[in-house]
Amino acid sequence: MKKITVLPTWCFRDEAGNPLDVQLLRLLGAVHRRGKLTQAAEDVGISYRHAWNVLRQGNAFFGVALVELKRGRGAQLTPLGDKLLWAEQRAVARLGPQLESLGSELNLAIAREQQGAVSVLRLHASHGFAVELLPRHLTALPLDLQYCSPHESLAALDRGSCDVAGFHLPRGAVGERIRASYHERLNPREHRVIGFITRTQGLMVAPNNPLGIEGVASLALEGVRFVNRQASSGTRSLLDGLLSEAGVASTAIRGFEVEEFTHSAVAAYVAAGMADVGFGVQAGAEKFGLDFIALATEDYLLACRHQALKEPRLQAFLDVLGSDAFQQAVQTLPGYRLSRCGDVMTVEEVLTP
């Protein structure tokens, strides 16, 4: 079945309404990656001559050069070119999950119009790199994937708005407070827990860690700028626990009130130089070329009603989780490991210390 993918696109127009070539940002990204205009043009799929014209048009539009070309030294972005690229990267990282959810809704609506009633698996879960893989592997099962916080996901499961809900459980002492909160949402008689993955969380810092960040205590150092996750996220709950354990007051952290909604958005914020450090998963740090300081391991788990496990759609979902193709894809993600992926467990097994 053909599917819709919703992607953000920037459009630059001057006062007369004349647009810039839509290839400009892609070309800037390729120059940043490859360091040569010839290779960047090849990556974007345009001729070297067209690439020159795109850059000339961009330079004229903004009144300054976007790329610096030096004989024998290749090409590199100017400060403005760099800012434009990172602004686009941040927008994609921030909007990506919402657009994926919208695409999921549109594809489901189209499937229902084309086929009538269809069997759909409704998954509510926080955004993550392993969850992103699921739509690519659940090809035979329509997936309605909605990104939301762990407690929002479990609330949706409780009222019957989803079939599977994702939640996080940090390992170690910091996870005990979070574990207690899940006792209110998961009923041992009604629910079952499906194993999924573990992931490493920690601090994302600039390459070579120029400020010498060592742990959460470093977040309160004078001059250190921090970017946070939103208060409802599981990652924020983990960070709050680590700060409490270390005796660090959030009021002492510059930028604690600055929030982003995905690991990638936090990483892009740091990579753009707008903050010195952020908190998130290792895969996000490596995606944006940042150094990573591991601080915690957490289990990412999935909950469902035990009666639903008898349904073919849940069995198909478990089959995908246990498949070699999906598990091999997870193992390519930095900081991610399989953890009883696809195994069904009782609530007591998971929530009993």
Side-chain angles (χ1 to χ4, degrees), residues 168-171 197-199 201 234-235 238 296-300:
H168 319 152
L169 188 57
R171 296 184 178 182
I197 53 94
T198 64
R199 61 187 189 180
Q201 297 245 45
T235 294
L238 172 58
T297 298
E298 68 176 3
D299 290 292
Y300 195 127

Side-chain angles (χ1 to χ4, degrees), residues 74-109:
Q76 65 181 36
L77 300 184
T78 65
L80 179 59
D82 196 59
K83 287 185 182 298
L84 286 174
L85 176 61
W86 284 115
E88 190 251 358
Q89 295 274 1
R90 287 178 54 228
V92 170
R94 180 181 291 176
L95 297 175
Q98 291 94 325
L99 295 180
E100 285 182 45
S101 293
L102 177 59
S104 177
E105 292 176 11
L106 292 173
N107 285 315
L108 179 56

Side-chain angles (χ1 to χ4, degrees), residues 108 112 118-125 141-146 153-166 186 190-194 302-309 311-315 317-318:
L108 179 56
R112 284 172 172 160
V118 293
S119 179
V120 176
L121 182 73
R122 301 169 300 168
L123 171 61
H124 287 204
L141 178 65
L143 177 66
D144 181 12
L145 174 57
Q146 299 297 317
S153 298
L154 292 173
L157 180 66
D158 188 52
R159 63 176 180 267
S161 298
C162 71
D163 306 302
V164 179
L186 293 171
E190 293 184 17
H191 299 114
R192 294 293 181 269
V193 177
I194 302 168
L302 305 169
C304 67
R305 293 186 180 277
H306 77 89
Q307 292 291 343
L309 290 168
E311 299 176 7
R313 56 184 174 166
L314 262 295
Q315 287 300 315
F317 180 60
L318 295 178

Side-chain angles (χ1 to χ4, degrees), residues 330-352:
V330 169
Q331 292 179 89
T332 66
L333 299 173
Y336 278 73
R337 298 196 312 274
L338 299 165
S339 181
R340 300 188 64 177
C341 190
D343 290 354
V344 178
M345 298 170 278
T346 64
V347 171
E348 291 94 332
E349 283 182 82
V350 174
L351 296 187
T352 300

Side-chain angles (χ1 to χ4, degrees), residues 183-350:
H183 278 291
E184 303 171 7
R185 291 289 188 185
L186 293 171
N187 186 317
R189 293 191 301 273
E190 293 184 17
H191 299 114
R192 294 293 181 269
V193 177
I194 302 168
F196 190 39
I197 53 94
T198 64
R199 61 187 189 180
T200 304
Q201 297 245 45
L203 299 176
M204 307 174 181
V205 298
N208 302 315
N209 193 8
L211 296 183
I213 302 293
E214 295 181 350
V216 292
S218 299
L219 302 182
L221 294 176
E222 185 176 355
V224 173
R225 299 167 301 159
F226 181 65
V227 57
N228 211 344
R229 285 293 304 278
Q230 77 276 22
S232 63
S233 68
T235 294
R236 175 66 169 273
S237 294
L238 172 58
L239 174 63
D240 290 344
L242 292 173
L243 291 173
S244 176
E245 194 175 55
V248 178
S250 61
T251 53
I253 299 173
R254 179 183 175 190
F256 194 83
E257 72 286 353
V258 179
E259 298 179 347
E260 289 288 353
F261 285 78
T262 68
H263 297 281
S264 290
V266 168
Y269 203 97
V270 175
M274 300 176 67
D276 302 304
V277 57
F279 187 78
V281 297
Q282 182 177 349
E286 294 201 14
K287 179 180 178 180
F288 287 89
L290 301 173
D291 282 3
F292 181 77
I293 302 163
L295 295 181
T297 298
E298 68 176 3
D299 290 292
Y300 195 127
L301 300 156
L302 305 169
C304 67
R305 293 186 180 277
H306 77 89
Q307 292 291 343
L309 290 168
K310 301 174 183 178
E311 299 176 7
R313 56 184 174 166
L314 262 295
Q315 287 300 315
F317 180 60
L318 295 178
D319 289 344
V320 167
L321 293 184
S323 68
D324 289 341
F326 178 75
Q327 295 196 0
Q328 288 171 9
V330 169
Q331 292 179 89
T332 66
L333 299 173
Y336 278 73
R337 298 196 312 274
L338 299 165
S339 181
R340 300 188 64 177
C341 190
D343 290 354
V344 178
M345 298 170 278
T346 64
V347 171
E348 291 94 332
E349 283 182 82
V350 174

